[in-house]
Every structure is written in C-alpha cells, then in structure tokens.
Amino acid sequence: MAAELAIVIVGMNTRDWLRGCLLSLRAHAEIALEIVVVDNCSEDGSCEMIEREFPEVQLVRNTQLYGFAQNNNIGAAQTSAPLLLFLNPDTEVPAGSLRAMLDIIAREVGCGIFGGKLFDADGEVERSVGTYPTLTSLFCDRLLAACAPLRPLLDRFSQRHYLHYEQERPVQWTTGAYLWIRRSVLDELDGWDGEIFMYGEDADLCYRSSRAGYPVLYAPSSTAFHYHNKTPIDRTRRKRLLREGLTLYAKKHYGALRYQLYRLVFAIFW
C-alpha cells in the first residue's frame, strides 16, 4: 500500500527521546506511514537502538554533520508520500493526532504548510506560531514576555504568539518541530534552505511558501507533546546559531540595508 504520510525525524544524541517519539508513532497504525530518521553522527547508540527496536524505520546515517534544514532535505529525499511531517525527536504524537491533521489538509486545499498545537512537558501550551521575525516582532516578543497585560493588544505583532492557540487560523510561521507540508509545495520551493544551519529555517520555509501562494494554517485539533530544547547544544552556541539564523533570514528576505541593521542590533542586544 502506498504511504499516505512521510515522517522525517532528525536526531543527534537523543536516543531515549527518539525511542519515545517512535513508540508514539506506532499508535497510528491506521495510517500508511513512511518514517525516516536521519542520524546526525550520534555517539549515544541511537542508530543501534533504531535497528534493534524499530525495523519499520528507515535509518540514514550521516558521515558528517549537517544543519537541521539540510538534514530535513536528506530525509525527505528518501520518501515518496504526498504529504510530509517534519518532527523533532523530543516529541510524542498522541493517537488520533495524525488523522486529525490529514483530514484538515484534505479540506484546506489552498494551504501549503500546517502546524498543530504543542504542549510542553508540564502540559502547558507551547508558543509554536507567530509573526515573521523582524526587529519589531522580536521587540514585541521581549516586551510581552515582561508585560503580560499588553498581550491582547500587541500579540498579533509578536514574533511568537501568546494567545489564540485554541483557534484554527492562518499564521505567518509555525515551528519546525511539528511542521506539515505538501510534497508538491516542498518541491516547488526546492526544499529547506540548507544555508541556515539551525533556527529561522522554519520561518524561512513558511515565508517562501506564503510568497508562492501557499499560506500556513495552524490547526489545534492536531496535537503533540514537545519536550523542548533536548538537542545537546550548549546555551552559548545555541544563542550564536539563533543570531546567525535570523541574520541569514533577514539577508534573504529584507535586503542588504536591513541585514546590516539586524547584524548591528543582534551584536549589541543578543
């Protein structure tokens, strides 16, 4: 039977989180799945665990390190289903969530990318959608973190939204931790931008999709748990990669002058 959905997971030294993720996907036996794990040079036995416990999973072993976006492209190239879900290894997908999104995608034929409702380890809603990263939206994000009463007024301008996670609605971007996309759209966009090593690549993909005429839809009826930031990257390197990702995004989409402004602002305030 032809696969209905391809799931691509990129992992690096996340063996135990990855095991939980893959176990949760077995609760969706009613869906014909292709599952690909791209292992980014793990040293914790991740590959051996997959081969031993998950024979249904296709494993790709990298021989050199790549960024998240490039690894997603590597994984997608191994699949053929008409829909793809890019899923973080530190997630679990409850029974029924995949089917819920598949039904929405069948209904919303004009949309290209879809995101669901994510919960963290404490059961709190994760801020997983928002407005394209600009200096204004990043400033609003910081402001609203410190001043909650302003959220109803300024939330729609924030780089990550605080509100309205109970509503199905169009958004500008959704997180790459649980990002669905039509294969036809991914192919038209020539995949993820591998130049962005990590952070900002999801906003970039969503921006390009919307510019090509395929908007992004947030659908809370499809849920997942995201045990957030389990990738083994120290805080200083994470911050540097975030700055680099956002400045590359600005360079691509906002022009040379704003790119230089972003570099200056990030150097001073980040």
Side-chain angles (χ1 to χ4, degrees):
M1 181 170 56
E4 188 174 1
L5 172 66
I7 300 178
V8 177
I9 304 169
V10 177
M12 179 181 176
N13 295 326
T14 54
R15 180 192 60 204
D16 295 336
W17 295 105
L18 180 58
R19 177 186 287 113
C21 178
L22 294 173
L23 284 172
S24 78
L25 295 178
R26 284 181 171 166
H28 305 269
E30 80 283 5
I31 301 171
L33 298 176
E34 297 176 281
I35 304 175
V36 176
V37 173
V38 181
D39 182 80
N40 204 27
C41 304
S42 292
E43 298 176 342
D44 67 344
S46 291
C47 293
E48 292 75 15
M49 180 273 294
I50 293 170
E51 292 173 336
R52 181 175 63 251
E53 301 178 27
F54 299 95
E56 72 274 24
V57 172
Q58 180 179 352
L59 174 64
V60 178
R61 293 177 181 246
N62 284 353
T63 56
Q64 65 183 85
L65 290 173
Y66 296 104
F68 179 69
Q70 186 59 33
N71 278 315
N72 279 336
N73 290 333
I74 291 170
Q78 308 304 311
T79 67
S80 59
L83 300 170
L84 296 105
L85 166 59
F86 294 98
L87 185 65
N88 271 22
D90 57 345
T91 59
E92 293 181 4
V93 184
S97 287
L98 296 184
R99 177 52 63 192
M101 187 65 87
L102 288 170
D103 290 344
I104 290 165
I105 293 173
R107 182 189 79 212
E108 299 294 336
V109 295
C111 294
I113 293 178
F114 304 81
K117 189 175 187 178
L118 300 184
F119 297 92
D120 64 20
D122 297 320
E124 299 294 326
V125 175
E126 181 178 313
R127 296 170 59 209
S128 59
V129 301
T131 301
Y132 297 133
T134 64
L135 293 180
T136 300
S137 70
L138 291 164
F139 172 78
C140 282
D141 188 67
R142 293 280 183 94
L143 175 64
L144 298 185
C147 191
L150 291 177
R151 290 173 186 173
L153 180 64
L154 298 177
D155 183 69
R156 68 186 185 276
F157 302 113
S158 179
Q159 190 257 333
R160 292 182 300 164
H161 292 164
Y162 282 90
L163 306 177
H164 307 304
Y165 282 93
E166 72 286 355
Q167 299 175 7
E168 182 175 307
R169 58 195 172 97
V171 293
Q172 292 191 351
W173 70 268
T174 186
T175 178
Y178 189 67
L179 186 148
W180 298 65
I181 188 170
R182 300 183 192 276
R183 180 177 298 278
S184 58
V185 174
L186 187 68
D187 289 345
E188 184 174 332
L189 299 176
D190 292 326
W192 297 72
D193 183 354
E195 185 181 2
I196 302 175
F197 188 85
M198 187 177 292
Y199 303 120
E201 67 280 71
D202 43 16
D204 169 77
L205 187 70
C206 291
Y207 183 92
R208 291 187 288 125
S209 179
S210 292
R211 288 291 297 269
Y214 310 107
V216 180
L217 184 73
Y218 167 74
S221 59
S222 180
T223 63
F225 290 92
H226 183 206
Y227 303 110
H228 206 44
N229 286 341
K230 300 306 177 190
T231 305
I233 300 177
D234 67 79
R235 184 187 178 109
T236 300
R237 185 171 181 236
R238 188 185 298 275
K239 199 170 182 179
R240 176 178 61 79
L241 289 172
L242 179 59
R243 287 197 305 267
E244 290 175 356
L246 290 175
T247 52
L248 280 171
Y249 176 94
K251 184 178 182 179
K252 282 184 64 177
H253 301 302
Y254 301 150
L257 181 61
R258 289 177 68 180
Y259 164 64
Q260 294 299 334
L261 178 61
Y262 275 52
R263 291 186 63 191
L264 177 63
V265 169
F266 290 152
I268 296 173
F269 297 106
W270 288 59

